[in-house]
Amino acid sequence: MLLNNVLCRSASAAAAATTTRRFCVTGNRSASPCQRTVFLCLPNVQRQHNLQQYLAKAFSSLNGKMVKQGPRPLVICGPSGSGKSTLLKKLFKEFPDTFGFSVSHTTRKPRPGEENGVHYHFVSVEEMQGAIEKGEFIETAVFSGNMYGTSKKAVENVQHQGKVCVLDIEIEGVKQIRNSDRLNPLLVFVNPPSIEELERRLRGRQTETEESLQKRLNTARKEIEYGTEAGNFDVVVQNNNLKQAYEDLRNFIVRELETQQGQDVFFVTSLVSNYKPFEV
């Protein structure tokens, strides 16, 4: 399973027998749920207890950085009609326990089938502006005359479950958070085959007036220009074919998550190798 942070590293190559111990990244050893669970194969020798205390102390000292950030969030962006929602549905279906969706706020009216608190938090302009003034949002944007935003609480709720937080946001929101040290997000842009195909998809929804449709298409042209510019996103997924687009998205995400797992292995292994018996 992706992000199954079960790391088994021997603290001593010479140790013949090992005992598994469970640590929470918060520094507590228990059977209760925690942000990240790390399993270590510890040498079954006299120093074992001191090593446990040392690791717990080290994890605790990182609580402010590691636990609050959690796994790197996945930001997915693209013009309306580019296929973002379809790709995310496939991703969540394949990995139901790995990803959690950050439910955004918006001032637009719900579309048929959309549920408040599930697809969006539908709020009034006054409620949205009040929350922005209180500093409750990580990013906000105005799109086609409506306000959108990602609240800090929405991201934290997902991270507290130990899952990768997925954010489906607009270009303006991406610009606000792309260099965020706190989030350190993975940025994915979904590019439609063409403006003509995008228009066909949007008309097929039958949810737009001619005026609102033209606004979306004009916005889409700007989004595609920014999204396909080198350096603005970590990867551009070209959605000419759904099967290939999902394979490209999936491969990118799996590779990145495996890299994060490898960094955790290095982190824990370094703690063990740097252990000194008199530090605790």
Side-chain angles (χ1 to χ4, degrees):
M1 180 188 297
L2 296 179
L3 286 188
N4 180 24
N5 293 324
V6 181
L7 313 177
C8 190
R9 291 292 182 271
S10 175
S12 172
T18 60
T19 302
T20 303
R21 289 291 181 266
R22 181 182 191 274
F23 286 88
C24 288
V25 178
T26 54
N28 299 322
R29 186 188 63 171
S30 69
S32 59
C34 62
Q35 297 274 342
R36 283 190 185 183
T37 304
V38 178
F39 287 86
L40 294 177
C41 289
L42 302 177
N44 193 13
V45 294
Q46 189 172 1
R47 294 199 313 168
Q48 179 178 304
H49 179 67
N50 284 346
L51 180 54
Q52 293 170 15
Q53 290 182 323
Y54 166 73
L55 289 172
K57 185 177 180 180
F59 282 134
S60 180
S61 69
L62 291 175
N63 185 48
K65 296 180 180 179
M66 202 170 187
V67 175
K68 288 183 180 179
Q69 290 187 1
R72 293 179 67 184
L74 172 66
V75 172
I76 188 163
C77 180
S80 181
S82 61
K84 302 189 302 293
S85 297
T86 302
L87 291 171
L88 286 177
K89 285 178 182 178
K90 291 177 71 67
L91 188 69
F92 275 71
K93 183 178 181 180
E94 183 175 0
F95 305 108
D97 300 320
T98 299
F99 300 94
F101 193 68
S102 169
V103 182
S104 300
H105 286 62
T106 183
T107 59
R108 75 162 172 80
K109 301 297 182 182
R111 293 171 183 156
E114 289 184 330
E115 298 180 38
N116 185 41
V118 177
H119 298 90
Y120 282 96
H121 294 294
F122 296 99
V123 296
S124 66
V125 173
E126 293 74 21
E127 289 174 316
M128 188 85 170
Q129 288 177 336
I132 292 173
E133 291 173 1
K134 293 177 183 177
E136 296 178 4
F137 284 87
I138 294 172
E139 60 82 27
T140 58
V142 176
F143 180 78
S144 294
N146 296 304
M147 301 174 70
Y148 292 82
T150 302
S151 70
K152 297 175 182 177
K153 184 177 180 181
V155 175
E156 290 170 355
N157 286 343
V158 176
Q159 290 182 323
H160 288 168
Q161 300 173 42
K163 295 183 177 181
V164 177
C165 183
V166 178
L167 292 78
D168 179 1
I169 61 178
E170 311 299 333
I171 287 288
E172 290 306 313
V174 171
K175 291 178 180 178
Q176 293 174 44
I177 70 171
R178 59 175 298 186
N179 296 319
S180 169
D181 291 334
R182 181 182 180 278
L183 289 179
N184 189 25
L186 297 171
L187 303 175
V188 177
F189 184 77
V190 179
N191 195 36
S194 64
I195 287 292
E196 291 73 23
E197 174 61 19
L198 200 64
E199 181 176 355
R200 186 191 68 79
R201 294 176 183 178
L202 292 175
R203 289 190 182 279
R205 290 180 177 178
Q206 297 183 342
T207 59
E208 305 290 336
T209 65
E210 188 61 31
E211 182 181 1
S212 66
L213 176 64
Q214 293 306 318
K215 284 183 178 179
R216 285 189 178 276
L217 291 175
N218 289 334
T219 300
R221 292 184 179 92
K222 298 176 183 177
E223 290 175 324
I224 292 172
E225 181 180 1
Y226 180 85
T228 55
E229 183 177 336
N232 286 342
F233 286 82
D234 294 310
V235 67
V236 175
V237 174
Q238 186 65 40
N239 194 9
N240 295 341
N241 176 276
L242 179 59
K243 182 178 180 180
Q244 183 61 53
Y246 179 67
E247 184 178 339
D248 293 342
L249 175 64
R250 183 189 186 281
N251 290 344
F252 167 75
I253 294 172
V254 169
R255 183 172 62 250
E256 289 297 327
L257 295 184
E258 287 176 345
T259 297
Q260 291 182 53
Q261 285 183 312
Q263 290 171 345
D264 282 347
V265 171
F266 176 79
F267 166 71
V268 176
T269 305
S270 296
L271 284 179
V272 174
S273 64
N274 290 330
Y275 168 71
K276 296 178 182 178
F278 299 107
E279 286 192 29
V280 178

